[in-house]
Amino acid sequence: MRVDGKPEGLRQSMSWLHTWSGLLLGWLLYAVFFTGTLSYFVDEINDWMRPELHVSVAQADTAEKAMAGMQKLAPDASSWSINLPDERHTAVEVTWRPKGAAQGREGTRRAQLDASTGEVIAVRETRGGSFLYRFHFELYAMPRVWGRWIVGIATFVMLVAIISGVITHKKIFTDFFTFRPRKGQRSWLDAHNATAVLALPFHIVITFSGLLLLMTMLMPWGAYAVYDGEPQRFNAERRGMQAAPAQQGGPQQAAREGRGEGRERKAAEPQAMAPIGPMLQVAQGHWQGGAVGSISVQNPNTQRATVELRAERADSLLLGRAGSQRVVLDGVTGALKEVPEVRQPSTAMAVMNSMVSVHLGRFAGPAVRSLLFLSGLVGTCMAATGLVLWVVKRQPDRRKLGYTPKGHRLVEVLNVAAIAGLSVAVAGYFWLNRLLPVGLEARSNAEINGFFAIWLACLVHAALRPHAKAWLEQMAVAAVAFALLPLLNVWTGGAGLWLTLAHSQWSVAGFDLMMLALGLVHAAVVAKLWQRRKKMGAVAVPAARQGVASQKTVLQAPENQA
């Protein structure tokens, strides 16, 4: 790795690889890590950014109210899907498919219902936390495939940086228990080592699982080769399923379809549905008191109506989303029809499900999700301290030169904009959600455009201001902006923290608490920067006085000699 070609050991070469792989894509990796950490609370962010939903408070009869609401909203639909409130959602999320609707998402209609009344809630247009989640792995304003390739390459570089960092630091676990404050470069290196080792298993798993999520795009050649260019067969087998066979035609097929259509017309005659309450009791009896998370109704208000109740959360990481328990009941009589067995995945799919579940935090309750969030913050700090350390390590060389090289100055500016500027932009994104007019056309695009405009302004600010002042000013803005978001929530019509805690609306309360935590973290950084600035100012004053005194001595010397 040396420019002069001299031999070097493994650790020295890994140090070079770790430094430059971490720097060249470090700013992108920081953004991916930060937005990914926020994405652990994507549902909570979605709820907070739609304050109209804060009036929705779950009741004991929420399922009954939701079914009654669907009877008003879409009585003639071919299917209903109802997601009941939980600790991550305040309102009832419903989707339905009108008869004759197009296949896929185009034919699906969506709405939010008040959990206490079943009435439709009109919400503002916003991408909410989904924008941050999507930005985390496919960026923005480019084809999705391009964004995923860029993030996939950056994730691979992240894995290389982690492995090379472990090899480079032969005393990494010893260094973890060593922190020497106010020692300049040594302190930054200690902080980088500590944050790296503190959540090292998390960093490795989250990086490797991120690559697994993109594996069919990054490395599709094996599946294409083994499955004769039909990746759908690979995906079906990976999920432990059989690929759908090609449909056969012919007179007999047409006759069977004709008889089937006749039976369907007869079965589609209007028919009142049984109440949902007893069905919930049947399901909870089978699940030993487990809560119902969603209700799926096929052919509502007909003789063929069926109701499928799904448990709130899967019991196993290996099963993934398909691991939730289910019961199927007759929609007209309420009688139990079927208790489908949970399909056991293949070994490959079980491993994949476990890694994906950990990466996305699907299995996690509020406590575990908070730990994942803290681990993500530690990883974010690891990336930030690594970027800052690159600048700090080169300060002695700059002092010898007597000036800052353009390359070093570029890294300084990008560090401020990528770290502090991203915090300001994210906080500004939340502020824009509440300050932009509710009826603004293309409102969600205006929020996102505002996010990037604020981020660009932070880049310009970092380029125009001295390095230390740019850090202090942007971190201070981020601290204040995050800390005031709970107050902004109340001021703009949302439910206050005291109400959300009292009503167990953990999604809204969780967001407010998360913003207060981020505000405190940024405030702690501001305090450190301010102390350092005061200390440097105190050192500079005597130095300046000494310089003035020396200058006077030089000026008076000729007179004395005379």
Side-chain angles (χ1 to χ4, degrees), residues 289-354:
V292 176
S294 64
I295 304 170
S296 179
V297 183
Q298 299 295 326
N299 305 302
N301 299 318
T302 68
Q303 294 180 7
R304 297 174 57 239
T306 59
V307 177
E308 179 183 279
L309 304 179
R310 188 181 290 267
E312 193 172 55
R313 187 179 296 118
D315 296 328
S316 173
L317 291 179
L318 302 180
L319 300 176
R321 287 180 172 177
S324 298
Q325 295 178 309
R326 298 176 296 151
V327 297
V328 180
L329 305 102
D330 189 298
V332 176
T333 65
L336 180 65
K337 294 183 64 175
E338 183 184 4
V339 182
E341 293 185 4
V342 177
R343 178 177 293 172
Q344 297 299 319
S346 62
T347 302
M349 196 61 195
V351 174
M352 181 70 172
N353 285 338
S354 62

Side-chain angles (χ1 to χ4, degrees), residues 215-540:
M215 70 175 184
T216 55
M217 183 195 72
L218 297 175
M219 302 181 66
W221 311 285
Y224 271 88
V226 175
Y227 292 88
D228 301 324
E230 298 182 13
Q232 65 273 14
R233 288 174 50 207
F234 163 71
N235 292 326
E237 187 171 329
R238 182 166 61 94
R239 293 181 174 89
M241 302 164 56
Q242 295 294 328
Q247 293 187 357
Q248 302 295 328
Q252 294 181 351
Q253 176 76 12
R256 286 195 297 269
E257 290 179 356
R259 290 193 297 271
E261 290 177 0
R263 288 194 297 269
E264 288 181 2
R265 283 195 297 268
K266 182 177 179 180
E269 295 177 359
Q271 180 69 49
M273 295 184 61
I276 193 66
M279 299 187 195
L280 299 178
Q281 295 177 3
V282 171
Q284 292 170 349
H286 277 274
W287 303 335
Q288 299 179 352
V292 176
S294 64
I295 304 170
S296 179
V297 183
Q298 299 295 326
N299 305 302
N301 299 318
T302 68
Q303 294 180 7
R304 297 174 57 239
T306 59
V307 177
E308 179 183 279
L309 304 179
R310 188 181 290 267
E312 193 172 55
R313 187 179 296 118
D315 296 328
S316 173
L317 291 179
L318 302 180
L319 300 176
R321 287 180 172 177
S324 298
Q325 295 178 309
R326 298 176 296 151
V327 297
V328 180
L329 305 102
D330 189 298
V332 176
T333 65
L336 180 65
K337 294 183 64 175
E338 183 184 4
V339 182
E341 293 185 4
V342 177
R343 178 177 293 172
Q344 297 299 319
S346 62
T347 302
M349 196 61 195
V351 174
M352 181 70 172
N353 285 338
S354 62
M355 298 298 289
V356 171
S357 296
V358 170
H359 189 94
L360 301 179
R362 290 174 179 164
F363 68 97
V368 176
R369 190 173 297 277
S370 298
L371 290 177
L372 291 174
F373 175 75
L374 290 176
S375 298
L377 284 182
V378 171
T380 304
C381 292
M382 176 192 67
T385 53
L387 291 170
V388 173
L389 181 61
W390 191 95
V391 174
V392 173
K393 288 178 67 174
R394 284 152 182 81
Q395 284 182 348
D397 297 335
R398 291 162 51 179
R399 293 192 187 99
K400 292 179 181 179
L401 292 173
Y403 67 94
T404 300
K406 292 182 179 180
H408 291 193
R409 176 57 181 163
L410 176 62
V411 174
E412 286 183 344
V413 171
L414 291 178
N415 278 355
V416 176
I419 299 172
L422 180 58
S423 293
V424 175
V426 169
Y429 176 63
F430 297 143
W431 277 79
L432 288 172
N433 170 258
R434 295 305 184 87
L435 298 181
L436 291 175
V438 175
L440 180 66
E441 186 178 357
R443 191 177 186 279
S444 60
N445 289 334
E447 291 179 354
I448 296 173
N449 292 338
F451 166 84
F452 286 109
I454 294 172
W455 204 359
L456 178 60
C458 290
L459 176 63
V460 174
H461 172 267
L464 297 178
R465 296 288 288 167
H467 184 53
K469 291 184 178 180
W471 272 115
L472 181 62
E473 291 163 0
Q474 291 196 25
M475 280 292 182
V477 171
V480 173
F482 279 128
L484 291 181
L485 281 172
L487 295 179
L488 176 69
N489 179 35
V490 178
W491 180 48
T492 54
L497 188 57
W498 55 91
L499 291 178
T500 54
L501 290 174
H503 294 155
S504 298
Q505 292 177 303
W506 299 112
S507 60
V508 183
F511 179 92
D512 283 341
L513 293 174
M514 179 175 65
M515 292 301 104
L516 289 175
L518 287 176
L520 289 175
V521 169
H522 286 79
V525 174
V526 170
K528 290 292 184 182
L529 292 174
W530 183 256
Q531 290 176 0
R532 184 174 183 275
R533 184 181 179 186
K534 289 179 63 177
K535 181 179 178 181
M536 296 300 293
V539 172

Side-chain angles (χ1 to χ4, degrees), residues 4-305:
D4 55 13
K6 292 183 179 180
E8 58 184 354
L10 176 64
R11 288 184 57 248
Q12 288 75 20
S13 61
M14 287 296 104
S15 176
W16 183 95
L17 179 62
H18 179 76
T19 298
W20 289 101
S21 63
L23 177 68
L24 295 179
L25 289 175
W27 302 292
L28 174 60
L29 287 170
Y30 179 86
V32 168
F33 231 107
F34 187 59
T35 54
T37 299
L38 293 175
S39 296
Y40 279 123
F41 290 100
V42 60
D43 292 330
E44 289 79 359
I45 295 173
N46 286 337
D47 268 9
W48 188 90
M49 294 184 72
R50 294 176 293 182
E52 298 83 3
L53 301 180
H54 298 184
V55 299
S56 176
V57 180
Q59 308 289 337
D61 60 347
T62 291
E64 288 86 346
K65 295 293 179 60
M67 290 290 285
M70 291 304 297
Q71 291 287 5
K72 296 179 182 179
L73 186 62
D76 298 327
S78 61
S79 64
W80 299 339
S81 179
I82 303 171
N83 292 319
L84 299 175
D86 55 20
E87 69 271 6
R88 304 194 65 194
H89 304 87
T90 60
V92 180
E93 298 181 351
V94 299
T95 61
W96 68 96
R97 296 186 62 82
K99 290 182 179 179
Q103 295 296 321
R105 295 183 178 180
E106 294 181 359
T108 302
R109 304 290 182 268
R110 303 176 183 276
Q112 302 284 337
L113 305 183
D114 191 321
S116 56
T117 64
E119 298 296 326
V120 176
I121 302 175
V123 297
R124 65 189 61 196
E125 180 193 353
T126 179
R127 289 278 300 278
S130 299
F131 161 68
L132 299 174
Y133 169 68
R134 288 284 174 180
F135 182 85
H136 158 66
F137 66 93
E138 61 188 23
L139 306 181
Y140 186 73
M142 66 178 66
R144 289 184 175 182
V145 175
W146 293 11
R148 293 186 182 193
W149 266 103
I150 293 173
V151 173
I153 294 172
T155 304
F156 180 76
V157 171
M158 176 72 175
L159 186 61
V160 170
I162 291 174
I163 295 174
S164 60
V166 172
I167 296 173
T168 299
H169 299 95
K170 63 179 181 180
K171 297 181 179 180
I172 188 169
F173 292 103
T174 302
D175 291 343
F176 169 67
F177 296 100
T178 304
F179 182 72
R180 286 150 285 195
R182 295 183 294 277
K183 297 294 183 181
Q185 178 182 329
R186 183 72 254 181
S187 299
W188 281 107
L189 182 58
D190 288 345
H192 185 62
N193 290 339
T195 53
V197 180
L198 178 62
L200 181 60
F202 173 83
H203 302 329
I204 295 175
V205 169
I206 211 70
T207 305
F208 184 70
S209 59
L211 289 172
L212 282 181
L213 285 168
L214 299 173
M215 70 175 184
T216 55
M217 183 195 72
L218 297 175
M219 302 181 66
W221 311 285
Y224 271 88
V226 175
Y227 292 88
D228 301 324
E230 298 182 13
Q232 65 273 14
R233 288 174 50 207
F234 163 71
N235 292 326
E237 187 171 329
R238 182 166 61 94
R239 293 181 174 89
M241 302 164 56
Q242 295 294 328
Q247 293 187 357
Q248 302 295 328
Q252 294 181 351
Q253 176 76 12
R256 286 195 297 269
E257 290 179 356
R259 290 193 297 271
E261 290 177 0
R263 288 194 297 269
E264 288 181 2
R265 283 195 297 268
K266 182 177 179 180
E269 295 177 359
Q271 180 69 49
M273 295 184 61
I276 193 66
M279 299 187 195
L280 299 178
Q281 295 177 3
V282 171
Q284 292 170 349
H286 277 274
W287 303 335
Q288 299 179 352
V292 176
S294 64
I295 304 170
S296 179
V297 183
Q298 299 295 326
N299 305 302
N301 299 318
T302 68
Q303 294 180 7
R304 297 174 57 239

